[in-house]
């Protein structure tokens, strides 16, 4: 069954940070959100490197093992981060989360991958389901029964991740193969959204008939709750594509070009990220369209 993703992307610096360290990629077969960490320049470099490697991933059939293909590009990005630190020691300590969805070509299946505390949700029949598990200290405490969900929401170390792309050779992303169908809607987001907005409000926003309205509402909810971090969202609908006309062109987040209403008010962007991510993704998008 030929399925494709139609998507809307929003990425906002927030009300506190001076730069946007998130990177986002969206294509008819692949969605990625990466939340960089390790200081202004370091976080931008890490998330941009990871996403630029993932953007090279072409559509994959069941015979080619989508889970293995997705794992491979995540590890390539991780290796690129390690090399960047070796080349520029000042970047030591940088890293990034990754959450991603890869549609299996000519199939009703997809792979979801996750490293860190960015998240992927699936909405089906107005029910929002979390598909990923946070690699975080707070999640570990929850799993052990040492804190409650209410305590987790306000825990002072809720942003501490236990796994990220930092160049470690033993990195293993979490990978799950699931089924999808036309009418499903995905939400991929950085923790700048989920740290501030509860799942009932996420679900209400995601029920909007318009992807654009849903994405704008999600960002607005985070900003209204304080906007203390960068917030990035991808809202993507699964649609049937019998004749190949429903596919959208690939899209990469560059804060200057990702204008939500809040960004228009502030006009704050990261020029460094624009140059680094823009060059890498121009090449990736050209390869995708010409291949």
């Amino acid at each position: 069954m030929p399925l494709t993703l139609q998507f809307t992307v929003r990425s906002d610096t927030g009300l506190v940070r001076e730069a946007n360290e998130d990177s986002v990629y969206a294509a008819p077969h692949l969605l990625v959100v990466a939340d960089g960490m390790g200081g202004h320049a370091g976080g931008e470099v890490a998330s941009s490197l990871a996403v630029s490697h993932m953007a090279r991933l072409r559509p994959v059939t069941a015979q080619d093992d989508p889970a293995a293909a997705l794992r491979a590009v995540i590890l390539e990005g991780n290796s690129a981060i390690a090399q960047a630190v070796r080349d520029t020691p000042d970047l030591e300590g940088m890293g990034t989360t990754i959450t991603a969805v890869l549609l299996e070509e000519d199939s009703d299946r997809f792979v979801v991958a996750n490293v860190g505390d960015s998240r992927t949700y699936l909405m089906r029949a107005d029910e929002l389901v979390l598909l990923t598990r946070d690699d975080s200290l707070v999640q570990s405490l929850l799993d052990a029964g040492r804190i409650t969900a209410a305590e987790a929401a306000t825990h002072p170390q809720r942003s501490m991740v236990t796994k990220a792309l930092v160049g470690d050779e033993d990195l293993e992303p979490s990978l799950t193969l699931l089924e999808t169908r036309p009418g499903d809607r995905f939400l991929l987001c950085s923790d700048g959204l989920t740290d501030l907005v509860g799942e009932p409000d996420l679900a209400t926003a995601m029920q909007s008939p318009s992807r654009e309205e849903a994405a704008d509402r999600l960002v607005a909810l985070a900003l209204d709750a304080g906007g203390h971090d960068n917030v990035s969202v991808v809202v993507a609908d699964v649609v049937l594509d019998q004749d190949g006309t429903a596919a959208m062109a690939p899209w990469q987040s560059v804060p200057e070009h990702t204008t939500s209403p809040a960004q228009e008010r502030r006009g704050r962007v990261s020029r460094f990220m624009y140059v680094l991510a823009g060059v890498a993704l121009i090449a990736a998008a050209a390869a995708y369209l010409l291949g």
Side-chain angles (χ1 to χ4, degrees):
M1 178 167 52
L3 299 176
T4 191
L5 296 164
Q6 294 187 337
F7 46 82
T8 297
V9 179
R10 297 288 185 266
S11 189
D12 197 285
T13 306
L15 302 176
V16 176
R17 301 290 181 91
E18 292 297 326
N20 193 338
E21 299 179 42
D22 293 350
S23 292
V24 185
Y25 181 76
H29 67 297
L30 177 65
L31 310 171
V32 186
V33 169
D35 180 357
M37 62 193 76
H40 175 179
E44 293 174 351
V45 172
S47 67
S48 298
L49 283 172
V51 168
S52 66
H53 279 269
M54 296 190 70
R56 301 173 185 176
L57 182 60
R58 305 299 301 278
V60 181
T61 65
Q63 290 74 20
D64 295 326
D65 194 345
L70 189 55
R71 174 183 179 273
V73 292
I74 292 173
L75 296 184
E76 287 171 8
N78 185 58
S79 295
I81 290 169
Q83 184 61 52
V85 171
R86 287 192 291 270
D87 293 342
T88 309
D90 287 348
L91 295 175
E92 179 70 38
M94 75 173 180
T96 186
T97 69
I98 283 285
T99 196
V101 166
L102 173 65
L103 284 188
E104 187 177 89
E105 191 172 29
D106 296 325
S107 159
D108 62 353
R109 302 192 303 177
F110 69 95
V111 179
V112 58
N114 203 72
V115 179
D117 60 356
S118 296
R119 292 183 178 181
T120 294
Y121 290 87
L122 172 67
M123 173 160 277
R124 178 177 292 168
D126 289 337
E127 181 180 359
L128 189 69
V129 178
L130 178 61
L131 300 182
T132 54
R133 177 190 177 278
D134 291 351
D135 296 312
S136 68
L137 173 64
V138 164
Q139 185 65 55
S140 298
L141 295 174
L142 273 171
D143 293 345
R146 296 175 59 185
I147 61 173
T148 66
E151 291 170 332
T154 58
H155 196 283
Q157 294 178 302
R158 62 186 178 277
S159 295
M160 182 178 293
V161 297
T162 56
K163 187 191 294 187
L165 279 72
V166 295
D168 289 348
E169 294 181 357
D170 60 352
L171 176 72
E172 278 298 332
S174 300
L175 298 160
T176 308
L177 182 65
L178 299 168
E179 292 185 352
T180 189
R181 64 193 187 200
D184 283 352
R185 174 172 283 183
F186 290 108
L187 167 63
L188 283 71
C189 59
S190 59
D191 69 339
L193 175 66
T194 52
D195 273 356
L196 297 174
V197 183
E199 290 187 356
D201 289 332
L202 297 180
T204 299
M206 286 285 286
Q207 290 168 3
S208 172
S210 163
R211 289 191 316 275
E212 291 77 9
E213 290 180 3
D216 286 338
R217 179 58 182 157
L218 290 166
V219 173
L221 286 169
L223 297 178
D224 290 346
H228 62 69
D229 198 357
N230 309 146
V231 54
S232 296
V233 303
V234 179
V235 178
D237 292 330
V238 180
V239 301
L240 193 62
D241 190 22
Q242 293 283 15
D243 56 6
T245 61
M248 300 174 65
W251 194 94
Q252 161 70 22
S253 77
V254 177
E256 188 172 37
H257 292 166
T258 315
T259 53
S260 70
Q263 283 176 301
E264 292 171 359
R265 292 194 301 270
R266 293 187 309 277
R268 296 186 308 198
V269 301
S270 167
R271 305 298 178 184
F272 182 83
M273 186 177 179
Y274 170 71
V275 173
L276 183 66
V279 170
L281 267 298
I282 286 171
Y288 180 90
L289 293 171
L290 296 175

